[in-house]
Every structure is written in C-alpha cells, then in structure tokens.
Amino acid sequence: MTLNEVTISRAILEEQHRALIDHLEVEAAVIGGGPSGLTCAALLGERGIRCALIEKKLSIGGGMWGGGMMFPRIVVQEEAKRLLDRFEVTFHEFEEGYYVAKSVEAVAKLTAAACDAGVEFFNLVTVEDVMVRGDGRVGGLVINWTPVEMAGLHVDPLTIACTCTVDATGHDAMIARMIERKGGNLKVKGESFMWAERAESRILEHTKEVYPGLFVTGMAANAVAGECRMGPIFGGMLLSGERAADLVAKALAR
C-alpha cells in the first residue's frame, strides 16, 4: 500500500469537521472529562441521548490519572463498588468497605464506555461563555480552542446549542462561576476544607440543577454548595456522575 500524506490530512479534517458540525446542536453537553463527567456522559449515551463531552485539556481523566500524590491508585468505598463492576474496572478489597483500583485503568475504561455509548469528545476545547436567551435558560455554550485562550489571542469563538449542560469542571466550577459573574441568580460558595466522610456523604444532595438548564456534578457540585473536598477517594465522583445523568435524562423525558 502506498500512503498519501494529503489523504491522511483530508481524512482527519473531514471526519472531525463532520463530527463538530453534527454536534452543533446536542441534547446534553458535559463540560469536563474527569471521573464524574465521564460517568455522566457514558450513562447519558447509553440512554440514547445525544451527548458531547468538552474537555479543555489534551487528555481526558481529570485528577483521576494521578491517583493520590502521583501514586496511580484510587480508593472507592462500598456504596460505589457497583459502578466499578458496571464499568468493568478491576479492583480488590484493601480493608472492609475500602476498594483499590488502578487510576489508569479506571480512566481508560470510563472513557471507553463513553466512546462505546456514542459520546463525541472535543478535547483541547474551552468554554469561554454560556448562552442565555429570553427564556432564562442555559441554552448554548461559547467555545474556542484552548491554545487560543492560553496564547491570549483575540479570536472570536463559535457557539453550540444544548438543551442541558453539565458542569463537571471540578474544583473550579467554571460554568457555574461564569453565570455568577454575569449576574445570574446563582451563588458559588467555593469548596471547603478536606473532610472525606462529609464530602462523600453529601455530594449526591449537591448534584442537581442549580440554574435553569445547568446541572452540577462531582467536585463542581461540592464547590457550588460550599461543601468539603475529599481527596483521592472517587466513589462520590462516580455516584455523582450517575446522579447527574439521571437528572438530565429526566429533564429530557428520556
């Protein structure tokens, strides 16, 4: 087989342009590809919901890659063990109720599950604003390339429309803060100190629709609520992503 460099370039450009055009209107947009965002997106895709996941970094996985202080292992508690089984992540019991998994495998299998469910990934894309029109709902996202933002270039963005938006941007709660800065009726309290038991036990009640059309999940949910952080235990992240998917599906009547 003789390879043609131009054909290779054309294949990449045509396929990715088609994917972007096909996802200029989606039912659900998940912002942030960490554990809660990946879980949410995978479960939405499995329901047949048209979902795009937007990640500002080159790689998917958020803080899960590094485990605890660059030791690539994560802990999941009893309540969330079923989700490790659900996504076929290998684990073993360390002590009663504490389960240890490889962070790299967990990211890989959550990502693969989302891909298998039909989720389209847009990495190296940043959300710089949201679209709120006369109905007062978040109805779209203003996007640009992350390198454009990093370089401080004045390049106008593009916009995609979405019925539901999920803020899975972690500690920063970026989408919620955008709405707060623009004068929306939303207060982001900011995350509190480390207290794993409290943070993990309360994250599901903080996972909710916090502004019309905007749902929060994972550490973004705790940051909006002013709740504690929990460190390298990830059961709450998985459960929160599952909860967010259920809420979005209900909002879409799916």
Side-chain angles (χ1 to χ4, degrees), residues 87-110:
F87 292 107
E88 300 182 350
V89 178
T90 306
F91 62 89
H92 73 272
E93 189 173 27
F94 179 73
E95 291 183 5
E96 185 177 358
Y98 293 81
Y99 301 90
V100 179
K102 297 177 181 178
S103 59
V104 173
E105 180 186 357
V107 172
K109 288 188 173 176
L110 286 170

Side-chain angles (χ1 to χ4, degrees), residues 23-35:
H23 289 79
L24 288 177
E25 295 180 277
V26 295
E27 293 177 287
V30 177
I31 318 306

Side-chain angles (χ1 to χ4, degrees), residues 42-56:
L43 296 176
L44 288 173
E46 287 183 0
R47 286 177 164 93
I49 292 169
R50 190 169 185 75
C51 179
L53 189 148
I54 299 173
E55 168 58 52
K56 70 176 182 178

Side-chain angles (χ1 to χ4, degrees), residues 3-85:
L3 294 176
N4 184 295
E5 292 84 357
V6 173
T7 301
I8 295 168
S9 298
R10 183 180 293 116
I12 292 170
L13 289 170
E14 288 189 8
E15 289 300 317
Q16 190 59 25
H17 281 159
R18 184 178 298 111
L20 180 56
I21 290 170
D22 287 347
H23 289 79
L24 288 177
E25 295 180 277
V26 295
E27 293 177 287
V30 177
I31 318 306
S36 61
L38 285 171
T39 301
C40 179
L43 296 176
L44 288 173
E46 287 183 0
R47 286 177 164 93
I49 292 169
R50 190 169 185 75
C51 179
L53 189 148
I54 299 173
E55 168 58 52
K56 70 176 182 178
K57 295 183 179 180
L58 175 62
S59 62
I60 303 297
M64 187 180 273
W65 282 119
M69 211 176 80
M70 296 193 297
F71 295 99
R73 294 292 188 275
I74 61 169
V75 173
V76 171
Q77 66 271 48
E78 182 69 40
E79 292 85 351
K81 179 170 70 75
R82 61 180 177 80
L83 286 171
L84 294 180
D85 287 323

Side-chain angles (χ1 to χ4, degrees), residues 197-248:
E197 181 182 1
R198 172 170 167 156
E200 289 284 300
S201 65
R202 299 189 180 185
I203 192 169
L204 290 186
E205 67 184 79
H206 301 318
T207 303
K208 57 186 176 181
E209 187 175 18
V210 295
Y211 190 83
L214 177 66
F215 300 79
V216 289
T217 187
M219 270 313 304
N222 275 9
V224 170
E227 191 55 82
C228 295
R229 63 183 301 177
M230 68 283 286
I233 182 165
F234 284 85
M237 299 294 100
L238 303 179
L239 291 167
S240 179
E242 179 185 52
R243 171 69 172 159
D246 289 342
L247 293 173
V248 170

